[in-house]
């Protein structure tokens, strides 16, 4: 059975002339002239078309999801490569570390490690959030990709006492 767009039924009427009722899609005859077999064939065709359409849609969606996941992974890899190429661990002979999302310079003799607690200088944000004076932060990363001016870490903070 081939799909034919909008067309006339064409089955003979009582007068013997072809039926001129318009049919479309998978129907083979109009409602007046269609037999039970014609209706069953048309319904099977519609069901098969719908199932095929749905399977194709799901396959396309699955393919798109896997392609998106691949592209996200690739972008992350490329960002990491670019990041490592631009990463600096020392500026003017001083160690550079990240505390939270901000980068600082450490002038101390013993290098800092991730997890070390440090005293940070007051800035306008810390003054608003915690009040005047030094704040305590934790080193989250060694090195930075930041290229602007860096504030100096004031000193090491004592380790937190365990309860």
């Amino acid at each position: 059975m081939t799909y034919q767009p909008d067309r006339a039924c064409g089955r003979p009427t009582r007068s013997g002339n072809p039926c001129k009722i318009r049919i479309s899609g998978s129907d083979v005859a109009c409602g007046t002239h269609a037999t039970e077999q014609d209706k069953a064939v048309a319904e099977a065709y519609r069901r098969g078309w719908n199932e095929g359409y749905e399977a194709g849609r799901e396959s396309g969606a699955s393919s798109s999801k896997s392609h998106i996941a691949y592209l996200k992974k690739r972008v992350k890899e490329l960002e990491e490569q670019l990041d490592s190429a631009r990463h600096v661990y020392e500026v003017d002979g001083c160690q550079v570390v990240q505390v939270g999302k901000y980068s600082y310079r450490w002038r101390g003799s013993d290098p800092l490690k991730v997890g070390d607690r440090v005293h940070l200088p007051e800035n306008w944000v810390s003054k608003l959030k915690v009040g005047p004076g030094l704040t305590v932060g934790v080193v989250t990363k060694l090195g930075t990709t930041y290229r602007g001016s860096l504030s100096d870490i004031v000193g090491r903070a004592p380790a937190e006492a365990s309860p």
Side-chain angles (χ1 to χ4, degrees):
M1 178 175 169
T2 59
Y3 174 78
Q4 297 173 344
D6 197 27
R7 63 203 180 281
C9 170
R11 299 256 171 112
T13 61
R14 284 188 223 158
S15 66
N17 295 327
C19 176
K20 294 182 181 177
I21 295 175
R22 305 301 288 169
I23 59 172
S24 62
S26 57
D27 292 329
V28 291
C30 67
T32 306
H33 296 108
T35 64
E36 289 305 314
Q37 182 179 358
D38 292 337
K39 291 175 184 175
V41 167
E43 178 55 32
Y45 181 85
R46 278 191 285 275
R47 190 173 44 253
W49 191 91
N50 287 337
E51 288 173 3
Y53 178 85
E54 186 62 25
R57 188 192 65 73
E58 288 174 4
S59 173
S62 173
S63 174
S64 293
K65 284 181 184 173
S66 65
H67 190 65
I68 288 169
Y70 165 77
L71 290 175
K72 284 182 177 179
K73 181 181 173 195
R74 185 69 180 132
V75 164
K76 186 176 181 194
E77 289 171 356
L78 292 172
E79 284 175 339
E80 287 172 357
Q81 283 178 2
L82 181 62
D83 205 35
S84 66
R86 296 178 45 225
H87 219 81
V88 227
Y89 295 92
E90 226 177 71
V91 171
D92 298 330
C94 300
Q95 183 183 14
V96 178
V97 297
Q98 266 187 262
V99 178
K101 60 182 180 177
Y102 298 104
S103 298
Y104 294 89
R105 184 173 39 209
W106 171 243
R107 295 180 183 270
S109 57
D110 293 335
L112 294 171
K113 301 181 302 278
V114 173
D116 285 350
R117 292 168 41 89
V118 293
H119 286 292
L120 302 173
E122 175 186 316
N123 62 42
W124 68 273
V125 176
S126 66
K127 191 172 183 178
L128 287 173
K129 286 185 172 183
V130 293
L134 301 176
T135 56
V136 175
V138 177
V139 175
T140 55
K141 199 175 187 181
L142 301 178
T144 187
T145 56
Y146 177 68
R147 293 288 190 240
S149 61
L150 299 170
S151 295
D152 289 332
I153 293 174
V154 177
R156 290 182 187 266
E160 272 188 295
S162 303

